[in-house]
Amino acid sequence: MELAFFDGTFIRPDERKVLLEDRGYQFGDGIYEVTRVYNRTCFALDRHLARCRRSLRELRIPITYMDEELAAIHHDIIKKSGIKDGTIYFQITRGVGKRTHTFPDQVVPLLSMTIRESKPNSEWQENGIHCGLFEDIRWLRCDIKTLNLLGNIFAKQDAHDKGLQGTIQYRRNTNLITEGASSNFFCVKDGVIWTHPADNLILKGVTRSILLEEIIPHLGYTVVEKAISPEFALSADEAFVTSTSLEVTPVVNIAGHTIGDGAPGKVTQSLLASYHALVKKACYEK
Ligand code: PDD
């Protein structure tokens, strides 16, 4: 059963609860996280909560929800919903106050959350996806997971309209790829894995960090955290995107150009298998 949490209580997701002068509603003034639930367990919740705290700090929203409290609400919503495999979305806004651009005094941050059933797209993981190339028109603090997503939404809608499954964005001024509209981008060339450095132009994905810190060192691949051009990506042997929802998903075509031999590559497949092994250990062998 889909379920939501709003300002302290569990409700149905379609109950009317948005407060008119919530700054999240009026300004997109807030942050969010998306976590995946496998076998009634939230995967990598500690990493998501750490990023949530960082996003709040960067937006100067006071931290009023402790990690333990947020973890407890995650556990409660999983239990009460009865959902075994799904996605949890939560957001914390600056709170409710009279509409002025500057931060209102004495405003209290507001937490809301939803849980829905979902599973990773195994067909995409087996066969790979086709991605379009889109100009990255987002602001210059993409490292903060804010509610403002119109740049990402435009890229996603354009891809959808073209019948594509994924998006790869590049900055026009530098002709360098940043990331997907809701994923991090990687390519593999001559055995080396390339991905954008975790600076202000990309979101430091939890899945990206897990690959770089917990998986790749064991597999022994070389990683270069350096921005690449679309031309370089098109000539890669393999490409893939990562996110909480996509896990590790091969990219077999970019802007109409086949990547490698058009099938998911060996490096990508080994990363996905290792990621699944980590999920199994964390969520099924507790
Ligand atoms: N998106 N880059 C962007 C712009 C993202 O929105 C996301 C996640 C990622 C990958 O981050 P992670 O590995 O922590 O999921 C990278 C989520 C899933 C979303 O917006 O639904």
Side-chain angles (χ1 to χ4, degrees):
M1 170 187 74
E2 291 180 2
L3 192 64
F5 179 90
F6 182 83
D7 198 18
T9 48
F10 289 96
I11 60 169
R12 288 194 324 273
D14 60 352
E15 266 182 61
R16 291 190 201 178
K17 273 291 187 185
V18 169
L19 297 167
L20 197 57
E21 293 203 298
D22 181 343
R23 290 179 63 90
Y25 184 51
Q26 290 187 327
F27 291 106
D29 185 358
I31 65 96
Y32 75 103
E33 282 293 326
V34 176
T35 59
R36 192 173 264 295
V37 177
Y38 301 91
N39 193 32
R40 301 190 173 87
T41 308
C42 234
F43 181 63
L45 183 58
D46 49 347
R47 286 183 181 269
H48 286 280
L49 295 181
R51 185 172 63 190
C52 160
R53 246 183 295 121
R54 178 184 183 276
S55 296
L56 289 170
R57 266 201 314 271
E58 292 299 312
L59 292 190
R60 291 191 275 153
I61 293 177
I63 296 178
T64 54
Y65 295 96
M66 301 304 119
D67 282 7
E68 298 70 28
E69 195 181 350
L70 289 171
I73 301 169
H74 276 79
H75 296 145
D76 276 1
I77 204 167
I78 294 170
K79 206 164 166 202
K80 282 188 201 301
S81 69
I83 288 175
K84 186 165 175 262
D85 298 296
T87 305
I88 293 179
Y89 168 86
F90 77 92
Q91 65 176 42
I92 299 176
T93 69
R94 195 179 303 278
V96 181
K98 283 203 184 90
R99 189 185 180 282
T100 60
H101 286 70
T102 51
F103 306 160
D105 291 332
Q106 296 185 312
V107 73
V108 180
L110 187 68
L111 166 71
S112 55
M113 192 183 287
T114 53
I115 184 167
R116 291 215 155 79
E117 251 169 36
S118 73
K119 279 197 173 164
N121 191 323
S122 51
E123 202 260 289
W124 286 7
Q125 292 181 346
E126 273 159 39
N127 301 318
I129 59 171
H130 289 219
C131 292
L133 266 174
F134 301 93
E135 185 184 349
D136 191 341
I137 59 163
R138 300 174 300 163
W139 75 331
L140 297 176
R141 289 303 309 271
C142 298
D143 55 309
I144 310 172
K145 204 161 168 61
T146 79
L147 300 177
N148 290 278
L149 289 177
L150 275 175
N152 314 52
I153 286 169
F154 274 118
K156 287 220 151 199
Q157 187 61 39
D158 282 356
H160 177 79
D161 292 346
K162 291 180 174 147
L164 299 167
Q165 295 92 40
T167 50
I168 297 167
Q169 304 177 101
Y170 67 95
R171 289 279 174 187
R172 192 173 18 180
N173 58 340
T174 55
N175 191 40
L176 293 172
I177 290 176
T178 50
E179 61 177 340
S182 62
S183 61
N184 291 117
F185 177 72
F186 296 72
C187 70
V188 185
K189 198 173 159 90
D190 303 325
V192 173
I193 301 174
W194 295 74
T195 196
H196 197 285
D199 59 16
N200 63 308
L201 295 179
I202 69 158
L203 182 77
K204 190 176 180 187
V206 164
T207 321
R208 176 189 185 281
S209 298
I210 290 172
L211 285 195
L212 296 188
E213 294 165 24
E214 298 181 40
I215 292 179
I216 291 174
H218 295 290
L219 296 179
Y221 299 127
T222 301
V223 179
V224 180
E225 291 185 66
K226 197 167 157 188
I228 58 164
S229 66
E231 294 73 29
F232 184 96
L234 296 183
S235 71
D237 305 317
E238 301 181 28
F240 61 93
V241 283
T242 65
S243 79
T244 299
S245 327
L246 294 166
E247 301 177 330
V248 177
T249 294
V251 173
V252 294
N253 188 294
I254 300 175
H257 299 260
T258 303
I259 303 302
D261 60 6
K266 290 268 172 298
V267 174
T268 308
Q269 284 172 324
S270 70
L271 295 173
L272 176 60
S274 299
Y275 189 81
H276 282 162
L278 271 190
V279 168
K280 188 160 174 248
K281 199 162 159 219
C283 302
Y284 293 85
E285 296 168 359
K286 307 166 277 166

